[in-house]
């Protein structure tokens, strides 16, 4: 990746570099690696550039993945908005657009950041028609260290879909939360 330097200061212009990397399109894996490398520089402008790149559907997936790696709370609201945008695109009858990957990447990013603001949108994502999205949302809820996330997972134990129930149970067991022992005993009986 080429370095872009500000002539007067010699400082790396990270925001420009990220924008350039994620806008190249086509090779999302390469763009993602470049975005993560720039993110690793610790420059907050990288987060802002990645947030701006979420608006571009052609690089949304790579941008979401890189934002997840930043663990920046600043990214939560834009990621939630991007998740809503993706759901709207997939649910319209006018587009033949059913690729769940951008939504999955966005959900995974929200999980990695671990902000409780994401619990509501993640709980809604569990109700999606795509298993990949449901699975990612359940796993993201399992990462968030908040009692509301645990409650959201516990509610999934009573849904009619066995895949969702079983994954929610597995995630809850992995949490090793002593408050859940009674729940597990009741389920096993």
């Amino acid at each position: 990746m080429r370095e872009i330097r500000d002539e007067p200061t010699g400082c790396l212009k990270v925001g420009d570099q990220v924008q350039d990397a994620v806008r190249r399109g086509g090779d999302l894996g390469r763009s993602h690696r470049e975005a993560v490398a720039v993110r690793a520089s610790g420059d907050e402008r990288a987060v802002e550039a990645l947030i701006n790149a979420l608006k571009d559907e052609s690089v949304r997936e790579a941008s979401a993945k890189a934002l997840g790696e930043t663990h920046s709370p600043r990214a939560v609201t834009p990621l939630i908005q991007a998740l809503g945008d993706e759901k709207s695109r997939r649910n319209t009858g006018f587009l033949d657009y059913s690729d769940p990957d951008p939504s999955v990447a966005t959900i995974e990013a929200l999980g990695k950041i671990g902000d409780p603001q994401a619990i509501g949108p993640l709980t809604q994502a569990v109700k999606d028609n795509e298993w990949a999205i449901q699975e990612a949302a359940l796993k993201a809820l399992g990462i968030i260290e908040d009692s509301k996330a645990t409650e959201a997972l516990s509610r999934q134990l009573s849904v009619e879909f066995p895949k969702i129930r079983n994954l929610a149970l597995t995630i809850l067991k992995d949490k090793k939360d002593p408050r859940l022992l009674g729940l597990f005993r009741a389920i096993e009986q």
Side-chain angles (χ1 to χ4, degrees):
M1 173 170 38
R2 76 181 202 287
E3 289 187 354
I4 303 169
R5 296 205 175 265
D6 185 351
E7 294 304 320
T9 65
C11 294
L12 191 61
K13 291 169 59 177
V14 176
D16 293 342
Q17 194 172 15
V18 172
Q19 291 285 21
D20 182 52
V22 297
R23 295 250 179 244
R24 276 200 283 276
D27 184 1
L28 293 180
R30 180 177 173 195
S31 296
H32 172 67
R33 284 191 302 275
E34 290 175 339
V36 170
V38 172
R39 185 266 317 150
S41 72
D43 191 314
E44 271 299 301
R45 292 175 292 172
V47 173
E48 191 60 36
L50 290 167
I51 288 170
N52 289 335
L54 281 174
K55 297 171 190 157
D56 183 342
E57 294 166 16
S58 68
V59 293
R60 183 173 288 160
E61 183 179 348
S63 300
K65 287 179 181 181
L67 280 167
E69 298 295 326
T70 70
H71 300 275
S72 174
R74 286 183 41 218
V76 174
T77 299
L79 284 165
I80 290 171
Q81 290 169 344
L83 183 59
D85 292 348
E86 284 298 316
K87 182 176 174 65
S88 294
R89 283 185 51 80
R90 286 185 301 100
N91 289 339
T92 62
F94 300 107
L95 297 172
D96 183 21
Y97 184 83
S98 60
D99 182 10
D101 291 346
S103 294
V104 169
T106 303
I107 289 166
E108 289 172 346
L110 288 167
K112 286 180 180 180
I113 294 169
D115 191 299
Q117 279 185 79
I119 294 170
L122 292 173
T123 302
Q124 287 301 310
V126 173
K127 298 174 186 173
D128 196 277
N129 293 330
E130 292 281 340
W131 168 245
I133 291 171
Q134 295 168 334
E135 179 182 32
L138 288 166
K139 288 178 179 179
L141 284 167
I143 294 170
I144 297 174
E145 297 294 329
D146 187 278
S147 62
K148 290 180 181 172
T150 302
E151 290 169 17
L153 283 166
S154 296
R155 285 193 301 273
Q156 302 310 312
L157 299 175
S158 62
V159 300
E160 65 178 278
F161 304 107
K163 285 172 98 173
I164 292 174
R165 279 196 318 264
N166 293 337
L167 182 56
L169 181 61
T170 299
I171 291 168
L172 286 167
K173 284 182 177 180
D174 287 346
K175 279 185 166 283
K176 298 184 183 353
D177 186 335
R179 296 173 295 173
L180 298 172
L181 290 177
L183 174 68
F184 297 145
R185 286 188 194 116
I187 290 172
E188 290 173 359
Q189 292 179 0

